[in-house]
Amino acid sequence: MFLHQYFSCFTILTILKALVHVSDAQLSTCYYSTSCPNVSKIVSSVLEEAFQSDPRIGASLIRLHFHDCFVNGCDGSLLLDNSSSIKTEKDSISNANSTRGFDVVDNIKAALENSCPGVVSCADILAIVSEAAVSMSGGPSWEVPLGRRDGRKANRKKADDCIPRGSDNLSNITAKFSRVGLNLVDVVALSGAHTFGSAQCRVIRGRLYNFSGTGQPDPTINTSYLKTLQDKCPQTGNGLGLANLDPVTNYTFDNQYFTNLQNHMGLLSSDQELFSTTNASSIDIVNTYSKDQATFFENFVKSMIKMGNIKPLTGKKGEVRLNCRKVNNK
Ligand code: HEM
């Protein structure tokens, strides 16, 4: 069985490599089968270790993949630090003092450079670690299409404009997804990643105390949940406290998030909008996922693969960065 898989992967890879000369290469689940056969194991072992000291890390890492892919495609641009030629996306509105896990990406990259120098791109690391984070947290596992190369540019302005924000309404969010080829099913399925991880109080303060300038809380929040959140997130202070995105099963990747929305316990307004926007088509999708975890998992995997396929650099485009924080030879 294993040999059979190996050879079919090998054959497909050989054909794909031959085709690169006539067209752009596609991503392939076999991409590293010969050049770095243990890539998944290496990524998983670094992630497992990181989980020991930081149970939130899986959530933080999948978010990096999302924020990378929405800005000029999945090209690792988010990982670049400031330099003479780079204005880092890490300082953009949605990322500043918010995205985290970059040190774990560095550790994964170092482990991979040790075993397969110059082979595995930073953009692929984000895709691989996202799958590992989901499956290690009780969610689905899947074969990740690979072969992305790393970009040599960052785009702060696009990061400001294209990454959805917690205060965006459903139509803004759908528009931002649609710009990168993702539809409403993708919006709802991928929002299911808010089944784990947390958000800072400052992100939800408006909902808790002064929703849309009304001086009142968001009326779509369940009253006892509102009280819990107000206790956790006071109206004043630095707003750096954390609230779980899924207050019921926070560290588990499951379909509880959708049941929370039915119970008016979505943490971000962008979450609750999926269920509480009058006549929205997303309501039926939320109801389906809440009833049927298998369908949620199946759609989540499809949408993750679609998201991971946003404008990848393949073939000879871009490069395989040696350090995820900077372009090569700079
Ligand atoms: C639908 C539009 C989305 C919006 C408006 C949104 C917004 C947010 C916001 C505001 C936070 C909290 C940030 C903070 O506290 O600083 C957050 C956290 C998070 N987001 Fe999203 N998000 C969206 C979609 C997604 C997608 C598609 C994924 C992944 C596939 C994702 C994964 C996560 C995770 C796992 C966290 C928690 C991260 C952690 O604990 O470090 N989100 N999101």
Side-chain angles (χ1 to χ4, degrees):
M1 176 66 183
F2 173 77
L3 265 182
H4 170 77
Q5 268 182 349
Y6 176 82
F7 279 115
S8 59
C9 251
F10 183 76
T11 316
I12 296 168
L13 201 65
T14 312
I15 296 170
L16 278 175
K17 277 185 176 162
L19 286 175
V20 169
H21 296 289
V22 285
S23 69
D24 277 351
Q26 300 290 304
L27 301 183
S28 155
T29 55
C30 316
Y31 191 77
Y32 297 112
S33 344
T34 49
S35 56
C36 194
N38 289 328
V39 59
S40 302
K41 270 196 204 140
I42 296 169
V43 172
S44 295
S45 77
V46 178
L47 178 60
E48 257 164 35
E49 200 181 319
F51 262 125
Q52 309 275 315
S53 56
D54 180 3
R56 185 184 164 199
I57 191 66
S60 304
L61 289 167
I62 192 175
R63 185 163 181 246
L64 296 187
H65 184 40
F66 162 49
H67 286 203
D68 179 34
C69 291
F70 267 56
V71 183
N72 277 349
C74 312
D75 63 352
S77 57
L78 168 62
L79 304 174
L80 291 169
D81 282 347
N82 273 325
S83 72
S84 55
S85 63
I86 300 292
K87 208 172 163 199
T88 184
E89 291 170 17
K90 294 176 186 178
D91 289 344
S92 67
I93 296 168
S94 297
N95 292 327
N97 302 314
S98 177
T99 40
R100 60 196 290 281
F102 298 105
D103 49 338
V104 176
V105 176
D106 291 340
N107 293 343
I108 294 172
K109 181 63 176 167
L112 288 169
E113 285 304 304
N114 210 21
S115 293
C116 335
V119 170
V120 182
S121 68
C122 300
D124 272 350
I125 288 175
L126 293 183
I128 300 167
V129 81
S130 295
E131 188 279 339
V134 169
S135 61
M136 280 181 203
S137 305
S141 52
W142 66 95
E143 300 250 17
V144 184
L146 297 168
R148 299 166 191 82
R149 289 166 60 87
D150 298 318
R152 293 174 58 82
K153 288 183 187 145
N155 194 325
R156 166 108 47 99
K157 166 95 174 65
K158 260 196 156 178
D160 283 340
D161 295 345
C162 301
I163 299 173
R165 304 196 196 150
S167 53
D168 280 347
N169 64 23
L170 185 55
S171 79
N172 289 340
I173 286 172
T174 316
K176 286 180 178 173
F177 273 65
S178 156
R179 253 185 253 164
V180 292
L182 299 177
N183 60 30
L184 184 69
V185 174
D186 300 314
V187 171
V188 182
L190 291 173
S191 293
H194 290 175
T195 177
F196 61 176
S198 32
Q200 298 170 78
C201 289
R202 66 185 173 94
V203 176
I204 54 167
R205 208 177 246 161
R207 283 195 89 200
L208 304 184
Y209 300 101
N210 184 13
F211 181 63
S212 300
T214 57
Q216 297 297 315
D218 182 340
T220 64
I221 309 179
N222 169 307
T223 27
S224 65
Y225 183 49
L226 173 65
K227 173 88 182 62
T228 310
L229 288 178
Q230 287 179 330
D231 287 347
K232 192 172 293 227
C233 296
Q235 193 162 11
T236 52
N238 63 14
L240 296 180
L242 294 173
N244 293 336
L245 282 157
D246 172 354
V248 183
T249 57
N250 182 46
Y251 291 118
T252 312
F253 195 103
D254 57 14
N255 64 340
Q256 179 65 42
Y257 166 82
F258 298 101
T259 310
N260 295 341
L261 300 187
Q262 292 173 320
N263 294 332
H264 297 271
M265 291 169 65
L267 184 67
L268 307 176
S269 109
S270 58
D271 294 322
Q272 196 54 52
E273 289 247 331
L274 300 176
F275 186 75
S276 299
T277 304
T278 315
N279 292 328
S281 322
S282 51
I283 298 170
D284 284 349
I285 312 174
V286 169
N287 288 334
T288 302
Y289 294 166
S290 162
K291 207 167 47 192
D292 181 358
Q293 178 162 278
T295 302
F296 163 50
F297 281 4
E298 200 181 300
N299 288 7
F300 181 78
V301 169
K302 278 191 197 147
S303 296
M304 281 297 288
I305 291 175
K306 244 172 114 177
M307 183 176 88
N309 235 319
I310 300 171
K311 284 183 31 197
L313 297 172
T314 55
K316 293 204 169 357
K317 293 182 191 148
E319 63 186 15
V320 173
R321 251 179 248 150
L322 300 175
N323 173 343
C324 294
R325 293 175 182 269
K326 51 183 195 186
V327 297
N328 293 341
N329 307 319
K330 279 271 174 183

